[in-house]
Amino acid sequence: MREIVITFEEDGSAAKIEAVGFKGKGCHAATKPYEQVLLVGAVEDVKKPEHYQTEQGGKLGASR
Amino acid sequence: MSHYSRGALKIDGPACLILALEELGFKPEYHETAQNLRGYQGDIRPEVANVIIPRAQISSAANDIGFYFAPGGECEAIISDFDSHRHGAAWVGKVKQLSGVHSALAKAKALGHRAQRVAGEAGQIFVRVSGSL
């Protein structure tokens, strides 16, 4: 199941937008509208290790 | 597969800010053209804001609290030194957090997604978005 999980820190300083269960670049398209309304300035963009595995045709590991 | 992005949170316009302040128990005023804030004696202050919490909603000795939206969209909280003891950085952080939550819920609704708000144990708030992603 594809899902976006947005975490808002208690102190209001930052938010994390995580795409789970996506294939290829679909995750960027899904999270971008939320990044645009929530985040300002430099945005740290992190692919988890299994992301690389799948893009190279490897076996998909645990999603988180 | 998963991917995440992380960055500083912003207040995305007056509508979600007002919802956040209402959640904290206030009934803020909105002015498309920024208005002067008033001091605790009713005196007009030089600072202007688009979203104003009138001092009567804060305490008898309080000044207005305001949020000014610059032409570029950046939001600045305007809080006097006196009021910052009770409504300081931690309070502004809570306002930003709640404003962000309402922005995410509004965006999900606009995109036809389902969204669920969940309270975290450490004070965080999670918004889980699903549907036609």
mmCIF file of all heavy atoms in Angstrom, chain A residues 3-50:
data_model
loop_
_atom_site.group_PDB
_atom_site.id
_atom_site.type_symbol
_atom_site.label_atom_id
_atom_site.label_comp_id
_atom_site.label_asym_id
_atom_site.label_seq_id
_atom_site.Cartn_x
_atom_site.Cartn_y
_atom_site.Cartn_z
ATOM 1 N N GLU A 3 1.705 5.086 0.681
ATOM 2 C CA GLU A 3 1.311 5.996 1.741
ATOM 3 C C GLU A 3 2.360 7.103 1.887
ATOM 4 O O GLU A 3 3.538 6.876 1.641
ATOM 5 C CB GLU A 3 1.199 5.208 3.054
ATOM 6 C CG GLU A 3 0.674 5.987 4.222
ATOM 7 C CD GLU A 3 0.559 5.136 5.480
ATOM 8 O OE1 GLU A 3 1.467 4.323 5.758
ATOM 9 O OE2 GLU A 3 -0.432 5.281 6.188
ATOM 10 N N ILE A 4 1.895 8.256 2.280
ATOM 11 C CA ILE A 4 2.806 9.346 2.652
ATOM 12 C C ILE A 4 2.598 9.598 4.140
ATOM 13 O O ILE A 4 1.466 9.779 4.583
ATOM 14 C CB ILE A 4 2.506 10.625 1.856
ATOM 15 C CG1 ILE A 4 2.747 10.400 0.364
ATOM 16 C CG2 ILE A 4 3.360 11.790 2.354
ATOM 17 C CD1 ILE A 4 2.274 11.549 -0.505
ATOM 18 N N VAL A 5 3.688 9.598 4.874
ATOM 19 C CA VAL A 5 3.608 9.863 6.316
ATOM 20 C C VAL A 5 4.355 11.164 6.594
ATOM 21 O O VAL A 5 5.549 11.275 6.318
ATOM 22 C CB VAL A 5 4.214 8.714 7.142
ATOM 23 C CG1 VAL A 5 4.116 9.027 8.631
ATOM 24 C CG2 VAL A 5 3.516 7.403 6.830
ATOM 25 N N ILE A 6 3.637 12.129 7.113
ATOM 26 C CA ILE A 6 4.235 13.433 7.415
ATOM 27 C C ILE A 6 4.363 13.561 8.933
ATOM 28 O O ILE A 6 3.374 13.397 9.654
ATOM 29 C CB ILE A 6 3.379 14.585 6.860
ATOM 30 C CG1 ILE A 6 3.094 14.360 5.377
ATOM 31 C CG2 ILE A 6 4.078 15.922 7.069
ATOM 32 C CD1 ILE A 6 2.070 15.319 4.787
ATOM 33 N N THR A 7 5.569 13.836 9.370
ATOM 34 C CA THR A 7 5.832 13.977 10.802
ATOM 35 C C THR A 7 6.119 15.440 11.119
ATOM 36 O O THR A 7 7.027 16.039 10.531
ATOM 37 C CB THR A 7 7.049 13.122 11.216
ATOM 38 O OG1 THR A 7 6.826 11.772 10.823
ATOM 39 C CG2 THR A 7 7.275 13.184 12.716
ATOM 40 N N PHE A 8 5.347 15.984 12.040
ATOM 41 C CA PHE A 8 5.546 17.369 12.476
ATOM 42 C C PHE A 8 6.174 17.348 13.859
ATOM 43 O O PHE A 8 5.572 16.845 14.817
ATOM 44 C CB PHE A 8 4.207 18.110 12.530
ATOM 45 C CG PHE A 8 3.546 18.253 11.185
ATOM 46 C CD1 PHE A 8 2.665 17.291 10.731
ATOM 47 C CD2 PHE A 8 3.818 19.337 10.375
ATOM 48 C CE1 PHE A 8 2.058 17.407 9.495
ATOM 49 C CE2 PHE A 8 3.225 19.460 9.130
ATOM 50 C CZ PHE A 8 2.337 18.494 8.688
ATOM 51 N N GLU A 9 7.379 17.884 13.961
ATOM 52 C CA GLU A 9 8.065 17.899 15.258
ATOM 53 C C GLU A 9 7.310 18.796 16.239
ATOM 54 O O GLU A 9 6.665 19.779 15.845
ATOM 55 C CB GLU A 9 9.503 18.403 15.101
ATOM 56 C CG GLU A 9 10.359 17.552 14.172
ATOM 57 C CD GLU A 9 10.554 16.129 14.677
ATOM 58 O OE1 GLU A 9 10.381 15.905 15.884
ATOM 59 O OE2 GLU A 9 10.879 15.252 13.870
ATOM 60 N N GLU A 10 7.421 18.475 17.530
ATOM 61 C CA GLU A 10 6.677 19.200 18.556
ATOM 62 C C GLU A 10 7.037 20.685 18.593
ATOM 63 O O GLU A 10 6.177 21.537 18.822
ATOM 64 C CB GLU A 10 6.941 18.589 19.933
ATOM 65 C CG GLU A 10 6.137 19.248 21.037
ATOM 66 C CD GLU A 10 6.461 18.693 22.404
ATOM 67 O OE1 GLU A 10 7.551 18.135 22.582
ATOM 68 O OE2 GLU A 10 5.609 18.808 23.306
ATOM 69 N N ASP A 11 8.306 21.000 18.348
ATOM 70 C CA ASP A 11 8.728 22.397 18.453
ATOM 71 C C ASP A 11 8.451 23.204 17.181
ATOM 72 O O ASP A 11 8.806 24.386 17.108
ATOM 73 C CB ASP A 11 10.216 22.482 18.811
ATOM 74 C CG ASP A 11 11.118 21.900 17.734
ATOM 75 O OD1 ASP A 11 10.615 21.494 16.670
ATOM 76 O OD2 ASP A 11 12.338 21.858 17.960
ATOM 77 N N GLY A 12 7.817 22.580 16.188
ATOM 78 C CA GLY A 12 7.438 23.306 14.980
ATOM 79 C C GLY A 12 8.595 23.671 14.069
ATOM 80 O O GLY A 12 8.428 24.416 13.111
ATOM 81 N N SER A 13 9.775 23.146 14.366
ATOM 82 C CA SER A 13 10.946 23.549 13.592
ATOM 83 C C SER A 13 11.032 22.867 12.239
ATOM 84 O O SER A 13 11.583 23.428 11.288
ATOM 85 C CB SER A 13 12.221 23.253 14.391
ATOM 86 O OG SER A 13 12.333 21.856 14.626
ATOM 87 N N ALA A 14 10.531 21.647 12.152
ATOM 88 C CA ALA A 14 10.757 20.881 10.923
ATOM 89 C C ALA A 14 9.650 19.869 10.698
ATOM 90 O O ALA A 14 8.877 19.550 11.609
ATOM 91 C CB ALA A 14 12.106 20.147 11.017
ATOM 92 N N ALA A 15 9.597 19.393 9.481
ATOM 93 C CA ALA A 15 8.668 18.316 9.138
ATOM 94 C C ALA A 15 9.404 17.326 8.240
ATOM 95 O O ALA A 15 10.309 17.690 7.490
ATOM 96 C CB ALA A 15 7.445 18.854 8.421
ATOM 97 N N LYS A 16 9.023 16.070 8.379
ATOM 98 C CA LYS A 16 9.582 15.012 7.526
ATOM 99 C C LYS A 16 8.443 14.425 6.706
ATOM 100 O O LYS A 16 7.377 14.119 7.244
ATOM 101 C CB LYS A 16 10.237 13.932 8.382
ATOM 102 C CG LYS A 16 10.942 12.868 7.552
ATOM 103 C CD LYS A 16 11.763 11.945 8.429
ATOM 104 C CE LYS A 16 10.959 10.777 8.925
ATOM 105 N NZ LYS A 16 11.780 9.730 9.553
ATOM 106 N N ILE A 17 8.675 14.290 5.417
ATOM 107 C CA ILE A 17 7.649 13.761 4.514
ATOM 108 C C ILE A 17 8.194 12.472 3.916
ATOM 109 O O ILE A 17 9.152 12.493 3.134
ATOM 110 C CB ILE A 17 7.321 14.776 3.406
ATOM 111 C CG1 ILE A 17 6.887 16.103 4.025
ATOM 112 C CG2 ILE A 17 6.220 14.239 2.490
ATOM 113 C CD1 ILE A 17 6.711 17.228 3.022
ATOM 114 N N GLU A 18 7.605 11.365 4.284
ATOM 115 C CA GLU A 18 8.125 10.068 3.882
ATOM 116 C C GLU A 18 7.148 9.347 2.959
ATOM 117 O O GLU A 18 5.958 9.237 3.270
ATOM 118 C CB GLU A 18 8.390 9.204 5.113
ATOM 119 C CG GLU A 18 9.045 7.877 4.795
ATOM 120 C CD GLU A 18 9.517 7.154 6.053
ATOM 121 O OE1 GLU A 18 9.158 7.585 7.160
ATOM 122 O OE2 GLU A 18 10.249 6.172 5.911
ATOM 123 N N ALA A 19 7.661 8.905 1.835
ATOM 124 C CA ALA A 19 6.848 8.138 0.893
ATOM 125 C C ALA A 19 7.170 6.662 1.075
ATOM 126 O O ALA A 19 8.331 6.262 1.051
ATOM 127 C CB ALA A 19 7.158 8.560 -0.536
ATOM 128 N N VAL A 20 6.158 5.864 1.263
ATOM 129 C CA VAL A 20 6.353 4.437 1.542
ATOM 130 C C VAL A 20 5.591 3.613 0.502
ATOM 131 O O VAL A 20 4.422 3.895 0.212
ATOM 132 C CB VAL A 20 5.835 4.084 2.959
ATOM 133 C CG1 VAL A 20 6.054 2.597 3.251
ATOM 134 C CG2 VAL A 20 6.526 4.937 4.010
ATOM 135 N N GLY A 21 6.284 2.617 -0.050
ATOM 136 C CA GLY A 21 5.613 1.677 -0.947
ATOM 137 C C GLY A 21 5.550 2.104 -2.394
ATOM 138 O O GLY A 21 4.793 1.526 -3.177
ATOM 139 N N PHE A 22 6.346 3.094 -2.768
ATOM 140 C CA PHE A 22 6.326 3.577 -4.151
ATOM 141 C C PHE A 22 7.394 2.878 -4.984
ATOM 142 O O PHE A 22 8.369 2.364 -4.452
ATOM 143 C CB PHE A 22 6.569 5.088 -4.183
ATOM 144 C CG PHE A 22 5.400 5.898 -3.715
ATOM 145 C CD1 PHE A 22 5.153 6.053 -2.356
ATOM 146 C CD2 PHE A 22 4.540 6.501 -4.616
ATOM 147 C CE1 PHE A 22 4.076 6.796 -1.910
ATOM 148 C CE2 PHE A 22 3.463 7.244 -4.181
ATOM 149 C CZ PHE A 22 3.230 7.393 -2.830
ATOM 150 N N LYS A 23 7.211 2.926 -6.294
ATOM 151 C CA LYS A 23 8.211 2.384 -7.211
ATOM 152 C C LYS A 23 8.805 3.534 -8.018
ATOM 153 O O LYS A 23 8.099 4.444 -8.417
ATOM 154 C CB LYS A 23 7.587 1.372 -8.159
ATOM 155 C CG LYS A 23 7.137 0.097 -7.466
ATOM 156 C CD LYS A 23 6.529 -0.865 -8.468
ATOM 157 C CE LYS A 23 6.076 -2.135 -7.756
ATOM 158 N NZ LYS A 23 5.414 -3.080 -8.685
ATOM 159 N N GLY A 24 10.108 3.432 -8.271
ATOM 160 C CA GLY A 24 10.776 4.407 -9.125
ATOM 161 C C GLY A 24 10.621 5.826 -8.629
ATOM 162 O O GLY A 24 10.729 6.105 -7.438
ATOM 163 N N LYS A 25 10.360 6.753 -9.553
ATOM 164 C CA LYS A 25 10.304 8.167 -9.200
ATOM 165 C C LYS A 25 8.915 8.617 -8.783
ATOM 166 O O LYS A 25 8.677 9.801 -8.577
ATOM 167 C CB LYS A 25 10.793 9.007 -10.383
ATOM 168 C CG LYS A 25 12.264 8.774 -10.706
ATOM 169 C CD LYS A 25 12.722 9.607 -11.878
ATOM 170 C CE LYS A 25 14.198 9.357 -12.164
ATOM 171 N NZ LYS A 25 14.671 10.086 -13.351
ATOM 172 N N GLY A 26 7.990 7.697 -8.684
ATOM 173 C CA GLY A 26 6.631 8.050 -8.281
ATOM 174 C C GLY A 26 6.568 8.702 -6.923
ATOM 175 O O GLY A 26 5.680 9.517 -6.650
ATOM 176 N N CYS A 27 7.523 8.361 -6.079
ATOM 177 C CA CYS A 27 7.510 8.929 -4.726
ATOM 178 C C CYS A 27 7.724 10.434 -4.765
ATOM 179 O O CYS A 27 7.109 11.178 -4.000
ATOM 180 C CB CYS A 27 8.557 8.253 -3.853
ATOM 181 S SG CYS A 27 10.207 8.267 -4.523
ATOM 182 N N HIS A 28 8.592 10.905 -5.668
ATOM 183 C CA HIS A 28 8.844 12.346 -5.759
ATOM 184 C C HIS A 28 7.592 13.086 -6.197
ATOM 185 O O HIS A 28 7.254 14.138 -5.660
ATOM 186 C CB HIS A 28 9.984 12.623 -6.736
ATOM 187 C CG HIS A 28 11.321 12.257 -6.194
ATOM 188 N ND1 HIS A 28 11.957 13.010 -5.233
ATOM 189 C CD2 HIS A 28 12.131 11.221 -6.462
ATOM 190 C CE1 HIS A 28 13.117 12.448 -4.945
ATOM 191 N NE2 HIS A 28 13.245 11.354 -5.669
ATOM 192 N N ALA A 29 6.906 12.539 -7.174
ATOM 193 C CA ALA A 29 5.682 13.188 -7.663
ATOM 194 C C ALA A 29 4.626 13.230 -6.565
ATOM 195 O O ALA A 29 3.865 14.192 -6.472
ATOM 196 C CB ALA A 29 5.156 12.434 -8.879
ATOM 197 N N ALA A 30 4.590 12.206 -5.748
ATOM 198 C CA ALA A 30 3.577 12.145 -4.691
ATOM 199 C C ALA A 30 3.863 13.109 -3.551
ATOM 200 O O ALA A 30 2.949 13.720 -2.989
ATOM 201 C CB ALA A 30 3.487 10.717 -4.154
ATOM 202 N N THR A 31 5.142 13.250 -3.204
ATOM 203 C CA THR A 31 5.477 14.082 -2.044
ATOM 204 C C THR A 31 5.650 15.558 -2.391
ATOM 205 O O THR A 31 5.509 16.411 -1.522
ATOM 206 C CB THR A 31 6.773 13.592 -1.363
ATOM 207 O OG1 THR A 31 7.838 13.619 -2.303
ATOM 208 C CG2 THR A 31 6.592 12.195 -0.799
ATOM 209 N N LYS A 32 5.915 15.848 -3.655
ATOM 210 C CA LYS A 32 6.222 17.237 -4.029
ATOM 211 C C LYS A 32 5.125 18.237 -3.635
ATOM 212 O O LYS A 32 5.442 19.316 -3.097
ATOM 213 C CB LYS A 32 6.510 17.325 -5.524
ATOM 214 C CG LYS A 32 7.139 18.641 -5.906
ATOM 215 C CD LYS A 32 7.774 18.580 -7.277
ATOM 216 C CE LYS A 32 8.401 19.918 -7.607
ATOM 217 N NZ LYS A 32 9.816 19.894 -7.731
ATOM 218 N N PRO A 33 3.841 17.957 -3.888
ATOM 219 C CA PRO A 33 2.817 18.939 -3.496
ATOM 220 C C PRO A 33 2.841 19.243 -2.000
ATOM 221 O O PRO A 33 2.574 20.380 -1.585
ATOM 222 C CB PRO A 33 1.502 18.256 -3.885
ATOM 223 C CG PRO A 33 1.865 17.232 -4.882
ATOM 224 C CD PRO A 33 3.245 16.781 -4.514
ATOM 225 N N TYR A 34 3.175 18.247 -1.206
ATOM 226 C CA TYR A 34 3.223 18.449 0.242
ATOM 227 C C TYR A 34 4.485 19.212 0.639
ATOM 228 O O TYR A 34 4.456 20.049 1.537
ATOM 229 C CB TYR A 34 3.133 17.094 0.965
ATOM 230 C CG TYR A 34 1.780 16.455 0.775
ATOM 231 C CD1 TYR A 34 1.550 15.540 -0.247
ATOM 232 C CD2 TYR A 34 0.701 16.808 1.579
ATOM 233 C CE1 TYR A 34 0.298 14.982 -0.464
ATOM 234 C CE2 TYR A 34 -0.556 16.261 1.380
ATOM 235 C CZ TYR A 34 -0.748 15.354 0.361
ATOM 236 O OH TYR A 34 -2.005 14.820 0.151
ATOM 237 N N GLU A 35 5.587 18.943 -0.043
ATOM 238 C CA GLU A 35 6.812 19.697 0.225
ATOM 239 C C GLU A 35 6.593 21.180 -0.058
ATOM 240 O O GLU A 35 7.046 22.047 0.694
ATOM 241 C CB GLU A 35 7.957 19.182 -0.645
ATOM 242 C CG GLU A 35 8.459 17.806 -0.258
ATOM 243 C CD GLU A 35 9.531 17.305 -1.217
ATOM 244 O OE1 GLU A 35 10.006 18.100 -2.046
ATOM 245 O OE2 GLU A 35 9.858 16.104 -1.146
ATOM 246 N N GLN A 36 5.867 21.460 -1.138
ATOM 247 C CA GLN A 36 5.680 22.860 -1.538
ATOM 248 C C GLN A 36 4.893 23.668 -0.515
ATOM 249 O O GLN A 36 5.157 24.855 -0.327
ATOM 250 C CB GLN A 36 4.992 22.920 -2.905
ATOM 251 C CG GLN A 36 5.895 22.484 -4.038
ATOM 252 C CD GLN A 36 5.181 22.394 -5.375
ATOM 253 O OE1 GLN A 36 3.965 22.261 -5.431
ATOM 254 N NE2 GLN A 36 5.946 22.456 -6.456
ATOM 255 N N VAL A 37 3.933 23.045 0.142
ATOM 256 C CA VAL A 37 3.131 23.815 1.098
ATOM 257 C C VAL A 37 3.707 23.778 2.516
ATOM 258 O O VAL A 37 3.350 24.621 3.333
ATOM 259 C CB VAL A 37 1.653 23.349 1.147
ATOM 260 C CG1 VAL A 37 0.973 23.565 -0.183
ATOM 261 C CG2 VAL A 37 1.522 21.921 1.614
ATOM 262 N N LEU A 38 4.585 22.822 2.791
ATOM 263 C CA LEU A 38 5.045 22.651 4.172
ATOM 264 C C LEU A 38 6.475 23.103 4.432
ATOM 265 O O LEU A 38 6.776 23.591 5.517
ATOM 266 C CB LEU A 38 4.923 21.183 4.587
ATOM 267 C CG LEU A 38 3.516 20.602 4.621
ATOM 268 C CD1 LEU A 38 3.568 19.117 4.949
ATOM 269 C CD2 LEU A 38 2.654 21.329 5.627
ATOM 270 N N LEU A 39 7.349 22.927 3.461
ATOM 271 C CA LEU A 39 8.772 23.131 3.730
ATOM 272 C C LEU A 39 9.301 24.394 3.075
ATOM 273 O O LEU A 39 8.852 24.794 2.008
ATOM 274 C CB LEU A 39 9.575 21.915 3.243
ATOM 275 C CG LEU A 39 9.138 20.551 3.783
ATOM 276 C CD1 LEU A 39 10.061 19.454 3.258
ATOM 277 C CD2 LEU A 39 9.105 20.545 5.304
ATOM 278 N N VAL A 40 10.280 24.988 3.728
ATOM 279 C CA VAL A 40 10.896 26.198 3.198
ATOM 280 C C VAL A 40 12.414 26.041 3.276
ATOM 281 O O VAL A 40 12.923 25.337 4.141
ATOM 282 C CB VAL A 40 10.430 27.441 4.000
ATOM 283 C CG1 VAL A 40 10.890 27.375 5.445
ATOM 284 C CG2 VAL A 40 10.889 28.730 3.355
ATOM 285 N N GLY A 41 13.110 26.689 2.364
ATOM 286 C CA GLY A 41 14.569 26.648 2.382
ATOM 287 C C GLY A 41 15.100 25.321 1.882
ATOM 288 O O GLY A 41 14.453 24.620 1.105
ATOM 289 N N ALA A 42 16.278 24.977 2.353
ATOM 290 C CA ALA A 42 16.937 23.754 1.899
ATOM 291 C C ALA A 42 16.157 22.525 2.353
ATOM 292 O O ALA A 42 15.771 22.418 3.517
ATOM 293 C CB ALA A 42 18.360 23.701 2.453
ATOM 294 N N VAL A 43 15.898 21.635 1.432
ATOM 295 C CA VAL A 43 15.171 20.406 1.744
ATOM 296 C C VAL A 43 16.126 19.224 1.597
ATOM 297 O O VAL A 43 16.746 19.036 0.551
ATOM 298 C CB VAL A 43 13.956 20.231 0.811
ATOM 299 C CG1 VAL A 43 13.272 18.891 1.080
ATOM 300 C CG2 VAL A 43 12.968 21.368 1.005
ATOM 301 N N GLU A 44 16.255 18.483 2.674
ATOM 302 C CA GLU A 44 17.095 17.282 2.665
ATOM 303 C C GLU A 44 16.302 16.155 2.010
ATOM 304 O O GLU A 44 15.179 15.851 2.405
ATOM 305 C CB GLU A 44 17.443 16.909 4.099
ATOM 306 C CG GLU A 44 18.327 15.701 4.236
ATOM 307 C CD GLU A 44 18.491 15.280 5.698
ATOM 308 O OE1 GLU A 44 17.845 15.882 6.564
ATOM 309 O OE2 GLU A 44 19.255 14.342 5.937
ATOM 310 N N ASP A 45 16.876 15.574 0.978
ATOM 311 C CA ASP A 45 16.181 14.544 0.211
ATOM 312 C C ASP A 45 16.943 13.225 0.377
ATOM 313 O O ASP A 45 18.085 13.117 -0.036
ATOM 314 C CB ASP A 45 16.143 14.959 -1.253
ATOM 315 C CG ASP A 45 15.303 14.021 -2.089
ATOM 316 O OD1 ASP A 45 14.452 13.309 -1.535
ATOM 317 O OD2 ASP A 45 15.515 13.999 -3.318
ATOM 318 N N VAL A 46 16.329 12.247 1.010
ATOM 319 C CA VAL A 46 17.021 11.014 1.355
ATOM 320 C C VAL A 46 16.316 9.806 0.759
ATOM 321 O O VAL A 46 15.109 9.636 0.927
ATOM 322 C CB VAL A 46 17.099 10.829 2.895
ATOM 323 C CG1 VAL A 46 17.806 9.530 3.249
ATOM 324 C CG2 VAL A 46 17.788 12.023 3.531
ATOM 325 N N LYS A 47 17.077 8.988 0.032
ATOM 326 C CA LYS A 47 16.552 7.709 -0.436
ATOM 327 C C LYS A 47 17.080 6.635 0.492
ATOM 328 O O LYS A 47 18.264 6.597 0.799
ATOM 329 C CB LYS A 47 17.030 7.417 -1.858
ATOM 330 C CG LYS A 47 16.461 8.349 -2.910
ATOM 331 C CD LYS A 47 17.044 7.994 -4.265
ATOM 332 C CE LYS A 47 16.506 8.922 -5.340
ATOM 333 N NZ LYS A 47 17.110 8.628 -6.664
ATOM 334 N N LYS A 48 16.207 5.795 0.947
ATOM 335 C CA LYS A 48 16.651 4.702 1.804
ATOM 336 C C LYS A 48 17.319 3.624 0.959
ATOM 337 O O LYS A 48 17.071 3.536 -0.244
ATOM 338 C CB LYS A 48 15.455 4.162 2.581
ATOM 339 C CG LYS A 48 14.968 5.168 3.627
ATOM 340 C CD LYS A 48 13.987 4.550 4.555
ATOM 341 C CE LYS A 48 13.681 5.535 5.680
ATOM 342 N NZ LYS A 48 12.736 4.970 6.642
ATOM 343 N N PRO A 49 18.158 2.785 1.563
ATOM 344 C CA PRO A 49 18.930 1.806 0.790
ATOM 345 C C PRO A 49 18.097 0.947 -0.146
ATOM 346 O O PRO A 49 18.496 0.699 -1.275
ATOM 347 C CB PRO A 49 19.575 0.957 1.886
ATOM 348 C CG PRO A 49 19.684 1.869 3.042
ATOM 349 C CD PRO A 49 18.486 2.753 2.980
ATOM 350 N N GLU A 50 16.916 0.538 0.305
ATOM 351 C CA GLU A 50 16.113 -0.326 -0.542
ATOM 352 C C GLU A 50 15.642 0.391 -1.800
ATOM 353 O O GLU A 50 15.334 -0.223 -2.801
ATOM 354 C CB GLU A 50 14.928 -0.907 0.247
ATOM 355 C CG GLU A 50 13.960 0.129 0.778
ATOM 356 C CD GLU A 50 14.318 0.551 2.176
ATOM 357 O OE1 GLU A 50 15.518 0.504 2.506
ATOM 358 O OE2 GLU A 50 13.420 0.934 2.928
#
